[in-house]
Amino acid sequence: MSVSHAARRTAADLATMPAPPVTPIVTRLTRLALAALVIAVLVAAWYEAEMNPAQLLRDAGNMATLGADFLRPDFTDWDVYFNAMLETLAIAIWGTVLAVIVGIPFGILSAENVVPHWVAFPIRRVMDACRAINELVFALIFIAAVGLGPFAGVLALFIHTTGVVAKLFSEAVEAIDPAPVEGIRGTGGTWLQEIIYGVLPQVMPLWISYALYRFESNVRSATVLGIVGGGGIGMTFNETMRGFLYSQASAILIIVVLTVSLLDMISQNIRKRFI
């Protein structure tokens, strides 16, 4: 085939190709309006949050002093920090255990494939409320009710985590294969038997994974709860920061990081056994 003939065929093919679709003017204007809205929101949020990068340069000396102290961790009172970390773990353990115990029935009753809508809807709204309010807010409420200490932290994590795990558990139930449940129902099984033999075997691995994940998250949350008086190592960290004892605060942070990392490795191994 000659070069000129090939060139003519290419030109003919290009001539017969359909023209690219033209985006309607309304669509283009809508996209421009959305882009302008996003930019406007970002600019408004910038001023509302008082973003000031220049302040980092002005306070560079203070940050250098703070960083130097944090690079010299002081473990003189390591036994105090260790006991406070154990208290934090106890808060996270009981907050998670209570939430899982209560979240299992609420998670099942929130799944519309196993209960009627009129049952699932109000329970979901209650769980939404538990999940929407941060554990710090719950901690302040329970501190006013039962006083400072780890019990207030346990109650705060319990209520908030119940809302979270109930949602996760219900989503797992709604994603099950309906065939085993229908088979049990077809043999005359009760609703409870459908749940025990048709639902739970399918969702248990996911539930275990979700519970372990929430426990890891609650360890971190329990650390923060101590800052507002919810017990644990957060209270000790708050005291060191208020006293400008940055070397001790650095030691506390190292203990927290090591603990969370160790728990992450342990929970990862447990997940591999069940999933």
Side-chain angles (χ1 to χ4, degrees), residues 137-169:
V137 178
F138 278 125
L140 293 172
I141 294 172
F142 285 117
I143 286 171
V146 302
L148 296 170
F151 185 47
V154 170
L155 294 175
L157 286 180
F158 162 50
I159 299 299
H160 177 77
T161 307
T162 297
V164 175
V165 298
K167 177 179 175 57
L168 295 174
F169 288 0

Side-chain angles (χ1 to χ4, degrees), residues 11 18 20 25 54 62 95 101 113 143 150 176 196 210 221 230 232 235 253 257:
I25 186 65
N62 295 336
I101 292 173
N113 60 333
I143 286 171
I176 63 170
I196 295 175
Y210 291 150
S221 297
M235 294 184 70
L253 290 179
V257 170

Side-chain angles (χ1 to χ4, degrees), residues 3-216:
V3 176
S4 60
H5 181 66
R8 285 197 300 272
R9 285 197 57 181
T10 302
D13 292 340
L14 290 174
T16 57
M17 287 180 62
V22 179
T23 304
I25 186 65
V26 175
T27 303
R28 282 184 285 177
L29 291 176
T30 302
R31 291 175 180 173
L32 287 174
L34 288 175
L37 178 62
V38 170
I39 294 172
V41 169
L42 290 175
V43 171
W46 177 278
Y47 287 105
E48 190 67 25
E50 299 181 2
M51 300 287 287
N52 188 7
Q55 191 171 351
L56 294 174
L57 299 177
R58 288 199 303 268
D59 298 333
N62 295 336
M63 296 179 63
T65 302
L66 179 65
D69 289 339
F70 265 88
L71 290 176
R72 296 193 301 269
D74 182 3
F75 288 94
T76 303
D77 297 325
W78 68 269
D79 54 334
V80 176
Y81 307 151
F82 180 75
N83 290 331
M85 193 69 232
L86 289 180
E87 186 176 83
T88 299
L89 289 175
I91 294 170
I93 288 171
W94 272 109
T96 306
V97 168
L98 293 174
V100 170
I101 292 173
V102 177
I104 288 174
F106 279 128
I108 293 172
L109 295 174
S110 299
E112 293 190 349
N113 60 333
V114 294
V115 297
H117 176 74
W118 59 268
V119 174
F121 181 81
I123 293 179
R124 282 191 172 189
R125 302 293 77 80
V126 173
M127 294 300 100
D128 288 345
C130 295
R131 191 170 61 255
I133 301 174
N134 189 270
E135 54 261 34
L136 280 175
V137 178
F138 278 125
L140 293 172
I141 294 172
F142 285 117
I143 286 171
V146 302
L148 296 170
F151 185 47
V154 170
L155 294 175
L157 286 180
F158 162 50
I159 299 299
H160 177 77
T161 307
T162 297
V164 175
V165 298
K167 177 179 175 57
L168 295 174
F169 288 0
S170 67
E171 290 180 349
V173 172
E174 289 179 340
I176 63 170
D177 180 6
V181 177
E182 294 172 354
I184 295 171
R185 187 181 305 148
T187 59
T190 64
W191 179 84
L192 187 59
Q193 289 173 329
E194 294 175 10
I195 298 299
I196 295 175
Y197 300 110
V199 175
L200 293 184
Q202 297 188 64
V203 300
M204 193 59 68
L206 269 180
W207 282 8
I208 293 173
S209 178
Y210 291 150
L212 289 172
Y213 170 75
R214 284 310 306 178
F215 172 65
E216 296 171 27

